[in-house]
Amino acid sequence: MNSTWWKEAAVYEIYPASFKDSNGDGIGDLKGVISKLDYLKELGIDVLWICPIYQSPGEDNGYDISDYYAINSEFGTMEDFDNLLKEAHARGLKIMMDLVLNHTSDQHPWFIESRSSKDNPKRSYYIWREGVNGMYPNNWESYFSGSVWEHDGKTDEYFMHLYSKHQPDLNWRNDEVVHGLYQMIRWWLEKGVDGFRFDAIAHIVKAKGLPNANNPQHLPVVQAYQLFSNLEKVHLMLRKLNEEVLMDYDIMTVGETSGLGPEQALEYVGDKRHELNMVFQFEHMTLDSASNGTGKWEMRSWTLLELKKIMSRWQTTLHNKGWNANYLGNHDQPRPVSRFGNDQEYRVQSAKMLATWMLTLEGTPYIYQGEEIGMCNVSYDSISDYRDVETLNFYEHANLQGRPGDQTMAAIRAKSRDNARTPMQWDDSAQAGFTTGEPWIKVNKNYEEVNVASAVQDPDSIYHHYRKLLALRKKNKVFVYGEYKLLLPLDPELYVYTRTLNDERLLIILNFFDGTPVFQWSDELKNASRELLIANYELPAEEDKNMFMLRPYEARVYKLT
Ligand code: GLC
Ligand code: CA
């Protein structure tokens, strides 16, 4: 197993608009991030992934970039960015940029030119097609509801957007586009950034000829995922990006690649592929949805057996061949404690259990802002409190399709990306200490109980549990590199596994629900001598040698020798 800094690192994702506001305009900013670097260092973080901070009209909160070389003035200036980089590096923290290469904003100068006429030299920087019998060029459905095609009156053609209509897709079959992007990436690397999270990277190449997707029910638009995801040419593009730019720098890369399993992921992250260091997979994120893609709004319940199966496949398939990126939440997902834990009676215990899980898997762990204090989903009363373009588009389409309003709101409360985007809860003062002004999105009502200041003070808090786990991971290489083995695969309540590196072994026992199942020590485990490294309950002074009953959401990590 090759050891590398980015395998040993722990990453913390910052959604700048919601992290910390320094000037009272209600929007988080780079100065705000700088003011919290000591907090993150103290927690035990190594790398900060900063969601897009480039100039942007903000239709998709920065994932619609209008100038890759400029900082969004809402977040600050290039000088602020340079300061952030300097201050982070001074503390031994690295900065990973979020880079959107699949599309730009419709306000990017490339697109403004492209849309101006059919014979503009930049026309083919984007994907333009004529309508077919007055209809869309094909039947692909956008991630954000409706068709991927938007009609443009000026030239009477359609352009493609997999996301919102303000995010036209770049044409990666045009070398000029690719080279323009290389240049820009190199520019950031020369500044000294330490890595990239490549947004929506699986989709940069679309199937040749843009064929219709299978459509047995003759719907106007259908989920066409296979026709624009993980195609062979994406791999070619990533290898070229490495050869021409990335390999000159010691950086880390992670790609957002939905719709693949671990075998296919090895095509991106296999040691010899020279494409990406790791990818964010989505199999565990779709467990509570009826299907992939826009199906996220169709909810279903998940079981631990499915979850264990998925995660175990990723752990074992990538071992010694590639590297995992482990996460439960991010700026696109509901809060993990609300989704996989219990954000009521057992908020603290279940958040600690989930943290124990994420930080004892093989791979690089990603912690999303607020996860370390157990922030929860928000339940806004009215649609007018929501800000996210995906949520608002879904609401509109659901209404047009006659879906009952209470069902729509229930889906939104469970799955809206705004669950993750409410302001970071720093203390129990007004607006949770996030801003002295009016925040761009409302604070979660539970901030008086759930906030950083009280978590830091309480030695039993979720925050301190994270801090201890991160410290353990830093000290014991078995946490990082140990081989994973699932025990009790058919137990519906307990998730138990070992991690082994040479003569070191960890045993992780997690109770995933609020029941009280019994764990039986096997002969082999019983005879090993064991040391408890961390747990989320006090252990009784004495325990039966053969078994013990777990308490709700109990988590224990033993070191066996
Ligand atoms: C990724 C981002 C998401 C964004 C989308 C379009 O999925 O994580 O926030 O809306 O790409 O850029
Ligand atoms: Ca601000």
Side-chain angles (χ1 to χ4, degrees), residues 80-98:
D80 293 334
F81 177 79
D82 292 338
N83 258 333
L84 168 62
L85 199 59
K86 203 177 86 205
E87 292 292 329
H89 285 169
R91 289 165 175 82
L93 293 166
K94 294 185 188 279
I95 300 283
M96 182 162 86
M97 301 290 281
D98 199 327

Side-chain angles (χ1 to χ4, degrees), residues 508-522:
I508 296 100
I509 306 173
L510 309 170
N511 178 11
F512 247 75
F513 304 100
D514 59 5
T516 52
V518 167
F519 178 79
Q520 301 267 2
W521 289 99
S522 67

Side-chain angles (χ1 to χ4, degrees), residues 60 63 103 144 163 167 197 199 256 331-332 417 421:
D60 186 19
Y63 286 89
H103 47 268
F144 292 170
Y163 296 89
Q167 295 167 295
R197 178 248 185 201
D199 183 73
E256 186 197 28
H331 65 286
D332 292 331
R417 305 194 297 181
R421 299 176 181 184

Side-chain angles (χ1 to χ4, degrees), residues 21-23 25 27-29 74:
D21 176 23
S22 73
N23 62 354
D25 67 355
I27 304 170
D29 45 52
E74 285 180 340

Side-chain angles (χ1 to χ4, degrees), residues 77 410 542 561:
T77 62
E542 228 171 292
T561 39

Side-chain angles (χ1 to χ4, degrees), residues 120 192 272 282 469 489:
N120 184 281
K272 296 193 180 77
F282 281 74
L469 279 164

